[in-house]
Amino acid sequence: MRTGRLRHVTGAVRLEPVEERNLESLLSVAVAEAEPDNVMPPVDAPAGWSHARREAFRDYYRSGFPGLDGPARTAMYAVLVSGEVLGMIRMTRRAEPGTVETGMWLGRSAQGQGVGAAALRELLNLAAAAGMHTVVAETTRDNAGAISVLRRCGAKMIEDGDAVHAEISLDATPPIL
Ligand SMILES: CC(C)(COP(=O)(O)OP(=O)(O)OC[C@H]1O[C@@H](n2cnc3c(N)ncnc32)[C@H](O)[C@@H]1OP(=O)(O)O)[C@@H](O)C(=O)NCCC(=O)NCCS
């Protein structure tokens, strides 16, 4: 559900690897404008943005610092517009060669303005540059925002009950506008 004021986002969307220097900005956006369940794996900690959950957030995002070839097999990027961190997009190696899974989130006030699709297009360029041929995503039927962004980036959708599996072939990605 969208709550709060909508920030008017203008300017190009840029991705920057999540690093120590932008980690606290990312955490601030998450705390102010996102639910823990949307931005990090579940942890056994008091509800909400408790101290333990903030520490777990830092640990989770630090696990991505070594990138696709590190132990977490994940490259994480802060989504920036005009130098401001608005959210995160990641890719994680899958067992199938040349395939990564993507996931993303934006702070509430930055949603619904096309930032997600622009960030995914940038991620597709990075995935192709890393030698990938397929980007997949797992979402649910009720996530209209995610489904719209994935479709706009050329994803084929396979529904299985409430689950939706999306697959983007990088050879068939629509031209970057
Ligand atoms: C999913 C998400 C990344 C999409 O990025 P976005 O920049 O908001 O996407 P867009 O601005 O391109 O909007 C896509 C569509 O979803 C709609 N939408 C986006 N956010 C919405 C919201 N919070 N509530 C209702 N509709 C929303 C937009 O109106 C748009 O509809 P359209 O295609 O009919 O025009 C973003 O909404 C988000 O961070 N959601 C929370 C975390 C999440 O669900 N991540 C994905 C997990 S698979």
Side-chain angles (χ1 to χ4, degrees):
M1 192 189 304
R2 191 182 299 169
T3 53
R5 217 153 50 84
L6 193 68
R7 178 197 304 256
H8 187 56
V9 178
T10 52
V13 171
R14 213 161 53 77
L15 305 187
E16 195 175 79
V18 175
E19 294 168 346
E20 213 56 65
R21 71 191 173 101
N22 53 31
L23 184 57
E24 289 307 307
S25 303
L26 191 64
L27 176 57
S28 299
V29 177
V31 168
E33 303 204 35
E35 299 305 323
D37 286 352
N38 281 334
V39 301
M40 62 187 284
V43 289
D44 190 13
W49 282 109
S50 57
H51 177 77
R53 193 163 272 108
R54 289 173 197 230
E55 274 304 296
F57 179 98
R58 293 187 182 94
D59 289 347
Y60 172 63
Y61 285 95
R62 284 183 180 128
S63 77
F65 286 2
L68 280 182
D69 294 323
R73 300 160 66 86
T74 300
M76 295 167 165
Y77 302 92
V79 176
L80 284 94
V81 176
S82 304
E84 201 179 343
V85 175
L86 302 181
M88 190 284 314
I89 187 163
R90 66 163 173 91
M91 58 177 159
T92 302
R93 275 189 201 278
R94 294 269 284 235
E96 308 88 330
T99 304
V100 284
E101 182 197 328
T102 189
M104 70 185 297
W105 59 267
L106 299 171
R108 284 182 204 97
S109 67
Q111 293 176 14
Q113 301 177 74
V115 175
L120 181 54
R121 286 201 184 94
E122 291 297 319
L123 191 278
L124 298 181
N125 289 338
L126 291 169
M132 302 298 144
H133 55 70
T134 304
V135 176
V136 300
E138 309 297 342
T139 187
T140 48
R141 272 157 72 104
D142 60 2
N143 197 334
I147 288 173
S148 161
V149 163
L150 288 160
R151 269 197 211 290
R152 251 181 289 156
C153 289
K156 273 188 295 189
M157 317 297 270
I158 300 159
E159 295 189 359
D160 179 11
D162 281 343
V164 178
H165 171 82
E167 198 160 316
I168 300 172
S169 164
L170 294 178
D171 306 331
T173 304
I176 310 300
L177 299 176

